[in-house]
Amino acid sequence: MADTDGVTVQLAELLRHPEDLDKITFLKSEFIRKKAAVDGQLKVGLKEQLEITQSGMNAIGDGQRSVNQIKEELMKIDKLCAESQNMIRDFPNINLVSQVHRNFSQVETMKANIESFDSRLDELARLLSEDDNDLENQPNLLNIHHGLTQLRDIRDDAMDQIKRASDSSLENTLQNHFDRLDDVVNWFDEHIGQACMNLIPLVQADNQSMVVRLAVIIEEEEKSDKKAKALQDAQREYKDLTSRFKSMNSNSRQIRGYKEKFLKAIELAAQQSFDNSEQKFIDDPDKLSKIMAWYFNELFAVKKGMTELMPKKWKIFRTYTFIYHSLMHNWLIKRIDDSELNPPHMLAIVDWTEKYYQKMNKLGWSQADLGLPVLDNREPEVIREYRQLIVKAVDEWMDRMFLADRRSFIDRKPDSLDQNEHGYFRTKTLGDLWRMLREQLLVAGNSGRQDVAEGVADAMFIALKQRQNLWQRMVDEETSKYKLPNADQEGLQGIQDWLVAIANDQIACIDDNETSGQTSYLTRFQHDFETLVSPKYMKHGASECEDLRDGFVDLGTHCITTFVSLIFAIDFKPVIPEFFTSKWYTEFGMKRIITTFEDYLGDYKDVLHPSLEDILVGELAEELLVRYLGSVRNKGAKFRRGDPFNEKFRDDVLTALDFFGNFPDFQDIKRKWRVVDYLVRLLETDKQAVVMVYESFKREYWDVQMSWVESVLRARDDCDRSLVSAVKAKGSEVYVERGVDTVMGKVK
């Protein structure tokens, strides 16, 4: 189930857009090619494993046959020995004398060895001291090894004999006698370790003598360890048989493991180089190839300078390669698993793997030969993580900026807004927002991968749309507090300034002016990502930019609409309810409203973007018209036949149109205000002709609400049930096609 989910996620990453469906054929062929390559590697690996397994089985079979042959020969020798004893007269006496002679010779030899032990050890210590002064050559290395091997054998033999003796009281005395040997052996091991750790520099310095002498010592110790292990295995598996042969039963040599230490020293020396490279990589990931130059230089030195100096059976170049390759794998995996790894480092590692295999191929190693993938085939995963780190950085920046904007918007301190070079109100984070997006696009572009840039661009589109929605929601939440019946009006101007600033921001995002050479933030953003993505993605990116452009327009318009709604909810709260009541005839409500409009437009003219001024005027005109028409529902609204309401309507309309006539969109405003004529006609027409007026009204304004018409009719002083019923009946009869929304759709 987890594998299926993983495949689904990968497919979702590859096929993010409808245009990506065109990639299916290419992706299919690409996956087939990769599968064939993987199958080829598996076949090669399987073949190698089968060969190794078969070779191991053959070796086990040969070993088993050899053991059986040895066992048979030993049994023959044992039989011949037993038979020969009966063939020779006085054999027990002869055998006893022979054993006494052998024991005496061994005792003499052991005595001489123990007596000369200290002097020989002193001589070896002197030679080691000489080599301390010339560690690069160590001329006494072979002599020291030969002497130490003899002394170690003497000690092992003596300790073995004392342990098998019936009296072990002198074991501690003998152990104390040999204590100095361990110190000299450790001293010698330090010299060997020093040489092993510096093996590559020795080869590079053409110090072949030192390398060969070191190899001779390691090989000799390897042979001795194999012999000792074979005897130990024989003693363990054939205890009864080997106990009869003193030469096999008296083996006292311990396994010393110089070959294993030699291999470990190779690994430690390489690991030191990896450790030295780590900080350099952290400081400058772009120079990873240069930082790792030592890796290939050392393998090349082994191939050209060390292969002929080491035993062929060691396959020293292969040994070095696999040790180094394993360390490289571990080093890279440790890096990509580091939770604090930065995107540039991740990218450098992914780019490095391809170069790594190219350089290893020059050394004679194909990717299949190396076996273990140097990055565990996690390149796609690293690329996704690289992209996700950029996306995460974008999201975190957007969150921080919006939190800062939210605090400033809610607090509305005097200095919380900026003004641009033209004096227009602006929020403080807009420039930083687009600068951050551009920087993160550059980071994505540095990857040199279109899929990374496309994924980051998609995330930015989403983040920008979310920011638009969050702004709209926050504006609605904050302004709704001022529309409550008994709301505190403190801070009203502050929120109005913010609405203007937010609206100005949206225009700045999309305002391209070819005449002045001004380019909007969104256009610059589009130019930036189009240089990084594939041609197919450009169409999708252009569509997303258009959606963003529409979103900026909508948000800017929403802020202006909200600004207007606050004016009507607060400034005109006492004026609107007086329309069409008795006070309407004596008060100059429309004039007061127009005067307020003039004040607002004068106050905000210098801080509002010019393109938004036309929107503001249009919103003021439409909202005033909607509120004016809706006032027929005001408490006390009544139109009597003898009242001069016709003249009052004309005065109000002329007052409004006289003000709006100073603006470019006057003709559109005037056309909308003509609807007042239908209101007047519904009020002044004789009852018998009202139905015809309504029918004409309905055909011109298809979305006029019957509930509003009914309120108009009920405001007539001569309204009765038959009039309302006749109009409703006509409403059910008249069929009109839906068209463009008119202002009457907003009048409820």
Side-chain angles (χ1 to χ4, degrees), residues 565-611:
S565 68
L566 286 176
I567 295 176
F568 277 87
I570 298 170
D571 293 80
F572 303 149
K573 188 175 182 179
V575 180
I576 299 296
E578 293 181 354
F579 281 134
F580 311 149
T581 65
S582 58
K583 288 186 177 182
W584 176 50
Y585 295 97
T586 58
E587 300 290 340
F588 298 95
M590 183 62 72
K591 183 62 178 176
R592 289 163 58 189
I593 289 175
I594 296 304
T595 301
T596 304
F597 284 173
E598 290 174 343
D599 292 341
Y600 270 105
L601 289 173
D603 291 342
Y604 285 95
K605 182 177 181 61
D606 294 333
V607 296
L608 181 68
H609 194 280
S611 62

Side-chain angles (χ1 to χ4, degrees), residues 122 311 372 394 413 683:
D122 291 338
L372 177 68
V394 170
K413 295 179 180 179
L683 292 171

Side-chain angles (χ1 to χ4, degrees), residues 1-15 31 384:
M1 186 67 183
D3 293 341
T4 303
D5 293 341
V7 171
T8 302
V9 172
Q10 291 181 2
L11 285 175
E13 289 289 333
L14 292 171
L15 304 174
F31 288 141
R384 284 195 299 273

Side-chain angles (χ1 to χ4, degrees), residues 352-380:
W352 162 249
T353 56
E354 184 176 354
K355 298 176 184 177
Y356 173 78
Y357 281 119
Q358 289 175 353
K359 293 185 178 182
M360 292 302 287
N361 192 55
K362 291 180 180 179
L363 289 171
W365 298 104
S366 67
Q367 188 170 346
D369 293 335
L370 294 171
L372 177 68
V374 73
L375 209 59
D376 285 345
N377 294 324
R378 291 171 60 181
E379 288 84 352

Side-chain angles (χ1 to χ4, degrees), residues 390-399 401 429-445 453 456-465 467 509 521-526 528-529 532 548 552:
I390 302 175
V391 171
K392 181 181 178 183
V394 170
D395 291 341
E396 289 176 349
W397 270 96
M398 297 292 278
D399 290 343
M401 288 182 183
T429 59
L430 183 67
D432 295 336
L433 166 69
W434 290 101
R435 191 178 306 111
M436 178 275 296
L437 293 178
R438 187 172 190 276
E439 290 173 354
Q440 296 304 319
L441 271 180
L442 289 175
V443 174
V456 171
D458 281 340
M460 290 179 175
F461 291 140
I462 293 172
L464 287 170
K465 290 178 182 178
R467 181 178 173 85
C509 292
Y521 286 119
L522 182 59
T523 300
R524 288 201 295 268
F525 172 72
Q526 185 172 359
D528 288 340
F529 78 73
L532 308 176
L548 282 174
F552 288 129

Side-chain angles (χ1 to χ4, degrees), residues 130 206 218 251 589 665:
E130 289 181 3
D206 200 26
I218 301 299
N251 176 63
D665 293 336

Side-chain angles (χ1 to χ4, degrees), residues 60-72:
I60 292 173
D62 293 341
Q64 186 64 44
R65 285 191 293 273
S66 298
V67 169
N68 291 335
Q69 289 176 0
I70 293 172
K71 182 178 180 181
E72 291 174 358

Side-chain angles (χ1 to χ4, degrees), residues 231-289:
L231 287 172
Q232 290 176 2
D233 292 341
Q235 290 171 353
R236 184 173 60 254
E237 295 180 18
Y238 306 102
K239 189 181 247 184
D240 294 339
L241 185 60
T242 56
S243 63
R244 302 182 185 181
F245 298 92
K246 187 174 181 181
S247 61
M248 294 182 65
N249 197 37
S250 62
N251 176 63
S252 57
R253 189 185 190 281
Q254 300 298 316
I255 296 176
R256 294 164 187 170
Y258 276 83
K259 178 64 180 296
E260 290 73 18
K261 294 176 182 178
F262 170 71
L263 297 177
K264 189 64 177 177
I266 294 174
E267 182 179 342
L268 289 175
Q271 186 61 55
Q272 286 182 0
S273 298
F274 276 105
D275 294 341
N276 294 335
S277 302
E278 183 169 350
Q279 188 58 47
K280 297 177 183 177
F281 172 66
I282 293 173
D283 294 339
D284 194 350
D286 293 336
K287 293 184 179 179
L288 183 56
S289 293

